[in-house]
Amino acid sequence: MNGLSFFKDARVLVTGHTGFKGSWLSLWLTRLGAQVSGVSFGVPSEPSHFMAAGLAGKVHDYRLDIRDGAALKTLVEKIQPEFVFHLAAQALVRRSYADPVDTWQTNALGTINLLEAMRGLENPCVAVLITSDKCYDNVEWVWGYRETDALGGPDPYSASKGAAELAIRSYVRSFFSADGVVRIGVGRAGNVIGGGDWAEDRIVPDCMRAWSRGETVPLRNPLATRPWQHVLEPLSGYLNLAMALQEGASLHGQAFNFGPPAQQDHSVGELVLAMSNHWDQVRYEDVSAQYGGPYESGLLKLNCDKALHHLHWRAVWDFDVTVRETALWYRRYYEQPAQSIADFSSAQIEAYVDAARAQGLAWAR
């Protein structure tokens, strides 16, 4: 691979560019010299990394609902992207119980609408479509899920992501041949943390909101174990997958897990304790005995050997660095709220790339 200079001057479409992961990816791509167009229905939270980093002035900012297939097709035809990163989604498990129809329409139908829009492209295009580690039929075994394991999920969010994967598979086999102009890959990532996430019902945003106001954080499920990773980890995986697809069709239509090594699986309680080491006056409370909410999985692990073998990708930051960089970002935001966060986020991207380069990863050249 030619390193990240690969994206200089490329026309890139990011769906969900105002969201947590989408805003970090959009910032990274602009720093690489890409011509980034973003499409989102709106800014999903207040505050948001998108607004704090001033991204509206750095990308072509389009607002439409990906459930509107005709409007999305018109936009894709206008942009004629060379790369597409599809991150637009209803991404919250608990919200999917409250509004399952919206979740299914956004995650399954929205993905189908994008696939339909790309059918009309005449120029070569690489599309990396992001689903979730929760697309697997999670039976909470101790082994990491591989890309060939069964899809499914008990909650509307997980099931909708499994359905999106089935739609992608169908379109690849029916409409996007390996020798065609559009090449497609699928990314599945574990639990992502990092600065700029203010989504509801996520443990790090819950802690940051509460601790910045001197309040107590309720822990609904402190024993739940997740493969925590910094937001930049899967994003580097998506970029790697895009580069590999651009260079050849051998991985066309394939899915890849992006997550940390097995020893980086930690419980919610362990994560909160680690975060507290970087914050003043923290308070949290185990409310699991009183919690009567909907089902949430207790154990979920990914096997990322395929990404290591085919993409030479692996996670760069260990758990301690991941937690530290996340906490430092929020401290910077809350202690100096009047200043743009763009330079601080950019510095974290550079630090991440430097660490990858020091570890000899080819993509970081």
Side-chain angles (χ1 to χ4, degrees), residues 74-353:
T74 298
L75 182 61
V76 170
E77 290 175 347
K78 172 184 176 180
I79 296 170
Q80 290 292 306
E82 298 167 278
F83 294 93
V84 173
F85 294 92
H86 176 48
L87 293 93
Q90 193 301 95
L92 302 174
V93 172
R94 282 165 59 84
R95 187 183 295 178
S96 77
Y97 284 103
D99 196 346
V101 174
D102 173 73
T103 301
W104 275 91
Q105 289 178 338
T106 302
N107 295 348
L109 181 60
T111 299
I112 292 171
N113 286 339
L114 179 61
L115 291 163
E116 274 291 300
M118 291 191 299
R119 286 181 64 191
L121 289 174
E122 297 180 356
N123 61 281
C125 178
V126 165
V128 177
L129 310 181
I130 313 308
T131 60
S132 171
D133 62 342
K134 294 179 180 62
C135 70
Y136 292 108
D137 184 14
N138 184 16
V139 295
E140 304 205 17
W141 56 27
V142 297
W143 301 280
Y145 287 93
R146 297 174 299 177
E147 291 82 354
T148 54
D149 284 324
L151 302 175
D155 58 88
Y157 169 75
S158 301
S160 72
K161 286 297 189 177
E165 293 256 4
L166 292 176
I168 294 166
R169 186 180 302 172
S170 169
Y171 269 73
V172 167
R173 293 178 177 178
S174 300
F175 306 115
F176 297 110
S177 64
D179 58 355
V181 297
V182 177
R183 293 176 184 167
I184 293 175
V186 175
R188 304 167 180 168
N191 282 55
V192 172
I193 64 174
D197 185 8
W198 278 284
E200 61 188 30
D201 293 326
R202 284 183 180 159
I203 186 58
V204 169
D206 286 349
C207 287
M208 297 299 98
R209 277 189 292 263
W211 293 348
S212 67
R213 299 190 293 255
E215 298 173 357
T216 300
V217 180
L219 305 183
R220 298 189 307 271
N221 196 356
L223 298 181
T225 300
R226 297 287 185 270
W228 310 105
Q229 61 180 327
H230 193 274
V231 62
L232 296 176
E233 303 280 18
L235 298 186
S236 71
Y238 306 158
L239 294 172
N240 267 264
L241 179 54
M243 289 188 284
L245 287 166
Q246 175 75 346
E247 291 183 333
S250 62
L251 302 180
H252 173 60
Q254 296 192 36
F256 286 83
N257 291 335
F258 298 104
Q263 62 267 29
Q264 200 153 311
D265 284 3
H266 292 271
S267 70
V268 169
E270 290 171 333
L271 173 64
V272 172
L273 181 61
M275 291 285 295
S276 72
N277 294 326
H278 302 279
W279 206 268
D280 301 325
Q281 299 180 345
V282 300
R283 298 201 301 263
Y284 47 90
E285 178 185 8
D286 182 352
V287 298
S288 56
Q290 298 83 36
Y291 176 60
Y295 167 80
E296 295 181 77
S297 61
L299 175 65
L300 180 60
K301 299 174 66 175
L302 294 179
N303 181 309
C304 301
D305 289 347
K306 184 178 179 182
L308 176 62
H309 178 76
H310 289 289
L311 305 176
H312 308 292
W313 178 92
R314 66 174 183 271
V316 173
W317 281 348
D318 63 21
F319 180 72
D320 291 337
V321 175
T322 295
V323 170
R324 182 194 70 207
E325 293 302 310
T326 298
L328 287 176
W329 192 100
Y330 284 103
R331 290 199 69 139
R332 163 63 176 74
Y333 177 83
Y334 283 111
E335 290 173 1
Q336 303 178 51
Q339 298 184 23
S340 170
I341 202 72
D343 290 343
F344 196 84
S345 294
S346 296
Q348 287 196 328
I349 292 172
E350 290 304 312
Y352 177 81
V353 174

